[in-house]
Amino acid sequence: MSRATIKEVAARAGVSQSTVSRALTAPRMVKQETVLKVREAAKTLGYVYNAMAGSLSSRRSDALGVIIPSSAYSAFAINLMGIQDACSERNFSCRIAASQFQPAKEMLAMQRYHEQRVAGLIMAGIDPSNIPYLRTMADDGIPALVLWESPGEAFNYIAIDNYQATYDGLRYLITLGHSRIAFLSGPYTCAQRNVERVRGYRAVLDDHGIAFDPALVRSQLPTFLHGKEAMRACLRLPEPPTAVLCVNDYLAIGAIRAIHEADLRVPEDISVCGFDDVDISAYFNPPITTIKTPGQLMGRMAGEAMITAIENGAPLQMQYTLDSELVIRSTCAPRR
Amino acid sequence: MSRATIKEVAARAGVSQSTVSRALTAPRMVKQETVLKVREAAKTLGYVYNAMAGSLSSRRSDALGVIIPSSAYSAFAINLMGIQDACSERNFSCRIAASQFQPAKEMLAMQRYHEQRVAGLIMAGIDPSNIPYLRTMADDGIPALVLWESPGEAFNYIAIDNYQATYDGLRYLITLGHSRIAFLSGPYTCAQRNVERVRGYRAVLDDHGIAFDPALVRSQLPTFLHGKEAMRACLRLPEPPTAVLCVNDYLAIGAIRAIHEADLRVPEDISVCGFDDVDISAYFNPPITTIKTPGQLMGRMAGEAMITAIENGAPLQMQYTLDSELVIRSTCAPRR
DNA sequence: TCTATAAATGAAAACGCTTGCATGATTTTT
DNA sequence: AAAAATCATGCAAGCGTTTTCATTTATAGA
């Protein structure tokens, strides 16, 4: 334990605890000369502020809790970066937990943040079953903000229009003449966005009079490996797809690998479209056509909005839907 | 604020505060029946434990602070994952800060963690100028562990042999007949490993009687873009390299892009070797030959060792050098 | 010069928990 | 059945800050 406490600094400087506290955190309330004396004493004593005691006493906290499914997927890591940037600029601290796409872990993380009395909570998606707990935390003055999707109009979010984004991507594929289009979705846990995307997928199909084939939609974790395996399964179908829409770029890259391993070409034989426009996507060979998603901006905005609300003591009010945009590169081509 | 405190739970349950505290955190010390009564009261009151108060009082903390340069580079994100896994299993919480490769930010993060009285600190590299502060924190009973490199034998680390790993990679390239080999290094701030790697690079050169050309070594942030630009610069040299060793895979991917844009082929015209074997590397086209580095294991081990030490109240004692291994894939070929 | 105002400081009560010590209630031992 | 040991519980003193309120001191107004 840091030997020196405020009390000892006070003794050393010949002032009271209160003065030390003020001199250190609100120097303008204290005579210049005293501030100097206190700082001097603190320095020679090697005093280190105890943030726990401070927070407990002031019942304020400068910590943001964030929950993401996994830091291994770039889009979430990028969210995190944005949040961290905001925290670092505004001198907040940042806590992180991964749900691993498991609702129970997600809930556990929420509860721990609640116990820690974080000043705010940011989540990249939320399992429907955990939404009510957002209220519980709000009752204790802990605002929450969910990324990527809206947990309902009563809550704060910075989302994208998952339905529409998917719709647009798929329509593009259809425009290219494809009609047998696989859909590699993400997990349906710890997030609603994937069900919205599936909804989008089905809607385009309907709107273009294309029959829905359940064999063409598969849900899995967002990893290269899962993408590869899912695509492989699609390729084994009696009537394989000529295009595939992936709900994220890792899945797309995995799919491309499976296609190559089957001695087929992208995009000549099969078109693939990704989602997110993760940093690798532009550098991949071939560069990936993808639905670009503002992951970093989302994180940054979230962090800033949250911190601003906290600092102003105002209720967080943020319901925003950001645009996503189809970025055409080289993995989609007209059906032969 | 969560209205109910331990005191009110005590009142409701008709016992003392101490009993509530014990019933909740050490149920075995309390009569079964009482535990039930307390739990019941806590539940109906919607009691939520206040971790700050708890930690302050017990002067224990279950938080690990981690500092990485950036979560945008996969190897660090993977470190983080390993640490988080350990935390989640052992019921610790995890705080994160990014140094952005800036020593000043790194120091700031260390100081904030000190103020927060985290139970332990894990850093992915450390700027030499900040090493002394490790001692300061240690004086307050906060153990530290640095990843990737050794900050000196007096400290804890889980590292790789940066010198040797580089040596091996470069030797492989030389074995393939290359002698004009560029070296794309990472930043020299917030980590020593890159200088060790450069040292390794020069050593092989020396050992094989190849002249060192400073124009062939470049240092930059680990991004695709920087890799591309660095390679582009190399390509503009009067006598361009026939191979390039990159200190991480993102740099390698950027380099490959630059090579392709110059209408050259990999590996036929230029060989490139990466570092880390980040998840994308095996899926890239062409699959990247790289020096594989145990990033996730490193994180996991670090987290576990740290938590174990903390829980046992024993001093952390961990000085470990993990193996790295050359993974030969398709981006290196004999010199034509 | 004397009061009115502002500025600087201090005393002390929180904040919500843990824990050492003491006490009373139960069991166990002999 | 008394003594010894064990179990359950309560009391109260912290943990290291912040902050309200009161007090003292300096500054200004008239």
Side-chain angles (χ1 to χ4, degrees):
Chain A
M1 26 4 258
S2 198
R3 272 282 128 265
T5 73
I6 237 183
K7 177 181 281 176
E8 326 191 35
V9 175
R12 189 86 158 63
V15 297
S16 72
Q17 282 190 42
S18 345
T19 301
V20 174
S21 173
R22 286 190 277 249
L24 261 23
T25 65
R28 54 199 322 151
M29 308 188 76
V30 173
K31 210 200 320 179
Q32 181 70 28
E33 188 191 323
T34 314
V35 172
L36 263 30
K37 231 172 27 185
V38 169
R39 287 205 180 127
E40 167 72 16
K43 170 169 265 177
T44 73
L45 255 44
Y47 170 75
V48 177
Y49 180 75
N50 185 320
M52 286 181 325
S55 286
L56 176 59
S57 177
S58 65
R59 72 223 95 230
R60 266 186 268 105
S61 156
D62 62 352
L64 254 39
V66 359
I67 306 177
I68 58 181
S70 158
S71 52
Y73 178 61
S74 199
F76 301 129
I78 283 298
N79 280 161
L80 182 57
M81 256 197 65
I83 298 173
Q84 270 182 172
D85 283 352
C87 284
S88 144
E89 267 169 30
R90 309 281 290 265
N91 238 281
F92 262 59
S93 71
C94 182
R95 312 195 176 175
I96 173 89
S99 68
Q100 237 76 261
F101 295 99
Q102 297 168 226
K105 283 202 177 182
E106 187 178 79
M107 174 53 100
L108 209 65
M110 293 175 81
Q111 292 179 141
R112 288 192 68 88
Y113 283 143
H114 194 176
E115 294 181 350
Q116 294 173 202
R117 301 296 194 271
V118 295
L121 173 65
I122 299 177
M123 310 177 61
I126 179 169
D127 193 84
S129 65
N130 293 336
I131 294 181
Y133 199 73
L134 253 24
R135 283 251 67 84
T136 307
M137 292 182 72
D139 288 345
D140 285 325
I142 302 175
L145 181 45
V146 356
L147 266 29
W148 294 106
E149 63 194 34
S150 161
E153 282 302 323
F155 301 92
N156 294 296
Y157 58 85
I158 301 180
I160 58 169
D161 189 336
N162 290 285
Y163 174 91
Q164 193 60 45
T166 313
Y167 195 103
D168 294 345
L170 192 52
R171 193 171 42 193
Y172 170 64
L173 256 14
I174 290 176
T175 301
L176 291 175
H178 298 280
S179 59
R180 193 138 175 89
I181 306 172
F183 187 66
L184 304 196
S185 168
Y188 299 141
T189 51
C190 287
Q192 273 290 286
R193 57 183 172 276
N194 288 315
V195 338
E196 289 167 45
R197 290 176 190 180
V198 172
R199 208 163 55 77
Y201 170 80
R202 298 201 58 162
V204 203
L205 257 35
D206 280 358
D207 292 354
H208 291 78
I210 302 174
F212 170 73
D213 179 355
L216 288 179
V217 359
R218 315 187 69 93
S219 150
Q220 54 274 306
L221 295 177
T223 71
F224 299 124
L225 184 59
H226 285 93
K228 180 169 80 169
E229 286 175 350
M231 190 66 216
R232 202 178 268 166
C234 288
L235 257 18
R236 277 197 299 264
L237 252 28
E239 191 187 349
T242 65
V244 50
L245 180 58
C246 302
V247 104
N248 70 65
D249 288 340
Y250 282 19
L251 250 22
I253 289 173
I256 292 173
R257 165 56 56 93
I259 294 169
H260 284 162
E261 286 182 355
D263 277 322
L264 296 168
R265 291 157 304 162
V266 174
E268 294 82 354
D269 298 310
I270 299 188
S271 290
V272 358
C273 178
F275 212 109
D276 286 348
D277 192 20
V278 139
D279 54 2
I280 182 65
S281 302
Y283 283 83
F284 197 75
N285 292 318
I288 299 175
T289 292
T290 188
I291 298 157
K292 183 191 184 104
T293 255
Q296 174 148 14
L297 176 63
M298 207 179 262
R300 235 214 131 74
M301 280 182 64
E304 279 174 0
M306 177 78 41
I307 293 173
T308 300
I310 292 165
E311 287 185 337
N312 296 340
L316 177 61
Q317 177 67 40
M318 171 63 70
Q319 318 209 339
Y320 211 87
T321 301
L322 296 172
D323 286 329
S324 50
E325 158 200 14
L326 182 66
V327 176
I328 296 180
R329 289 200 271 250
S330 316
T331 51
C332 294
R335 179 175 176 203
R336 287 184 315 172
Chain B
M1 22 9 253
S2 198
R3 271 285 126 264
T5 74
I6 236 183
K7 177 180 280 176
E8 326 191 34
V9 175
R12 189 86 158 64
V15 298
S16 72
Q17 282 190 43
S18 348
T19 301
V20 173
S21 174
R22 287 189 275 250
L24 261 23
T25 65
R28 53 200 323 152
M29 308 187 76
V30 174
K31 209 200 323 179
Q32 181 70 29
E33 189 191 322
T34 314
V35 172
L36 263 29
K37 230 170 29 184
V38 169
R39 289 206 180 127
E40 166 72 16
K43 169 170 266 178
T44 73
L45 256 42
Y47 170 75
V48 177
Y49 180 76
N50 185 320
M52 286 180 326
S55 286
L56 177 60
S57 175
S58 66
R59 73 222 92 228
R60 268 186 268 105
S61 156
D62 62 352
L64 255 40
V66 359
I67 305 178
I68 58 181
S70 159
S71 53
Y73 178 60
S74 199
F76 301 130
I78 283 299
N79 279 161
L80 182 57
M81 255 197 66
I83 298 173
Q84 270 182 172
D85 283 351
C87 284
S88 142
E89 266 169 31
R90 310 281 289 265
N91 237 281
F92 262 59
S93 71
C94 182
R95 311 193 177 177
I96 173 88
S99 69
Q100 237 77 259
F101 295 100
Q102 297 168 225
K105 282 200 177 185
E106 187 177 79
M107 175 53 100
L108 208 66
M110 294 175 82
Q111 291 180 141
R112 288 192 67 87
Y113 283 143
H114 193 175
E115 294 181 349
Q116 294 174 201
R117 301 296 193 271
V118 294
L121 172 65
I122 299 177
M123 309 179 60
I126 180 168
D127 192 84
S129 66
N130 294 335
I131 294 180
Y133 199 73
L134 252 25
R135 283 251 68 83
T136 308
M137 293 182 71
D139 288 345
D140 285 325
I142 302 176
L145 182 44
V146 357
L147 267 28
W148 294 106
E149 64 193 32
S150 161
E153 283 302 323
F155 300 92
N156 294 296
Y157 58 85
I158 302 180
I160 58 168
D161 188 335
N162 290 286
Y163 174 91
Q164 193 60 44
T166 312
Y167 196 104
D168 294 345
L170 192 51
R171 192 171 46 193
Y172 170 64
L173 255 16
I174 289 175
T175 301
L176 292 176
H178 299 279
S179 59
R180 190 134 179 92
I181 305 173
F183 187 66
L184 304 195
S185 168
Y188 299 140
T189 51
C190 287
Q192 274 289 287
R193 57 184 173 276
N194 288 315
V195 338
E196 288 168 45
R197 290 177 190 181
V198 172
R199 207 163 57 76
Y201 170 81
R202 297 200 59 161
V204 202
L205 256 36
D206 281 356
D207 292 354
H208 291 78
I210 302 175
F212 170 72
D213 179 355
L216 287 179
V217 0
R218 316 187 68 92
S219 150
Q220 55 273 306
L221 295 177
T223 71
F224 299 125
L225 184 59
H226 286 93
K228 181 169 79 171
E229 286 174 352
M231 191 65 217
R232 201 178 269 167
C234 288
L235 258 18
R236 276 196 300 264
L237 252 29
E239 191 186 350
T242 64
V244 49
L245 180 59
C246 302
V247 105
N248 71 65
D249 289 340
Y250 282 18
L251 250 23
I253 289 173
I256 292 173
R257 165 57 56 93
I259 294 169
H260 284 163
E261 285 182 355
D263 276 323
L264 296 168
R265 290 157 306 163
V266 174
E268 292 82 355
D269 298 309
I270 300 188
S271 289
V272 359
C273 178
F275 213 109
D276 285 349
D277 193 19
V278 139
D279 54 2
I280 183 67
S281 302
Y283 282 84
F284 196 76
N285 292 319
I288 299 175
T289 292
T290 189
I291 298 157
K292 184 192 184 103
T293 254
Q296 174 147 15
L297 175 62
M298 207 178 260
R300 237 213 129 74
M301 280 182 66
E304 280 175 0
M306 175 85 19
I307 294 173
T308 300
I310 292 165
E311 287 185 336
N312 297 340
L316 177 60
Q317 178 68 37
M318 170 63 68
Q319 318 209 341
Y320 212 86
T321 301
L322 297 172
D323 286 328
S324 50
E325 160 200 12
L326 182 66
V327 176
I328 296 180
R329 290 201 270 251
S330 316
T331 51
C332 294
R335 175 170 180 211
R336 286 186 314 170

